[in-house]
Amino acid sequence: ALFSSKVGGLLPRLGARTLLTVGPLIMAVGMVMLGMMRPGQSYWVGVFPGFMIFAAGLVLVVAPVTATALADVSANESGTASGVNNAVARIGSLIAIILLPLIGGLASSQAQGLQTGVDILDGYRTSMFAAAAICVFGAGLATVGFNRSDGRVVATEAAGR
């Protein structure tokens, strides 16, 4: 929330395509860093840097996603559209929570005998690298799926209200 308004201000200048390409790539870097955590590392060395880089990428994604999702909706339907946008985001999060551990081999049926954090580290890494790959794929989709002007008009109109 601290930087979202600043990113919203970038939307008229950069457009959604740029932000929705760069943001997921930065998120992917953070996830790879988190996936490279080693046993015995401190939080400040093993977790914090990757988490902050992931967060920086996420900040670049949230405002443009919301603005472009609501761009073609009339003012009368904006509340409903915002609710649908939020519901889809929550469902996507739940699907990720379900699938990423499965990809990493961390489902209860797959994880028999895994007793410690060190035991699950390989599965965690696989999950983080898979999530990073999904972010890179999303960045590619944004690059080819959005026009250069997408998001700019919406942000300019919203600023004029």
Side-chain angles (χ1 to χ4, degrees), residues 11-140:
L11 200 51
R13 287 188 299 169
L14 299 177
R17 179 170 70 179
T18 300
L19 295 171
L20 293 176
T21 299
V22 173
L25 292 175
I26 293 172
M27 289 169 62
V29 169
M31 288 182 196
V32 167
M33 290 175 70
L34 288 168
M36 295 176 72
M37 215 175 11
R38 291 187 317 271
Q41 281 185 314
S42 74
Y43 170 81
W44 297 108
V45 172
V47 177
F48 188 74
F51 179 74
M52 291 307 291
I53 290 173
F54 173 80
L58 190 59
V59 165
L60 294 177
V61 169
V62 173
V65 163
T66 302
T68 54
L70 302 178
D72 294 326
V73 178
S74 70
N76 292 341
E77 296 173 335
S78 64
T80 301
S82 179
V84 169
N85 181 49
N86 285 329
V88 168
R90 298 309 165 260
I91 291 168
S93 296
L94 291 172
I95 291 170
I97 289 168
I98 293 166
L99 292 182
L100 287 174
L102 291 175
I103 291 168
L106 298 174
S108 61
S109 63
Q110 297 168 310
Q112 300 300 328
L114 300 180
Q115 304 297 322
T116 68
V118 174
D119 290 338
I120 67 167
L121 193 55
D122 286 339
Y124 169 79
R125 279 193 179 109
T126 301
S127 296
M128 286 292 100
F129 295 157
I134 292 167
C135 285
V136 170
F137 179 73

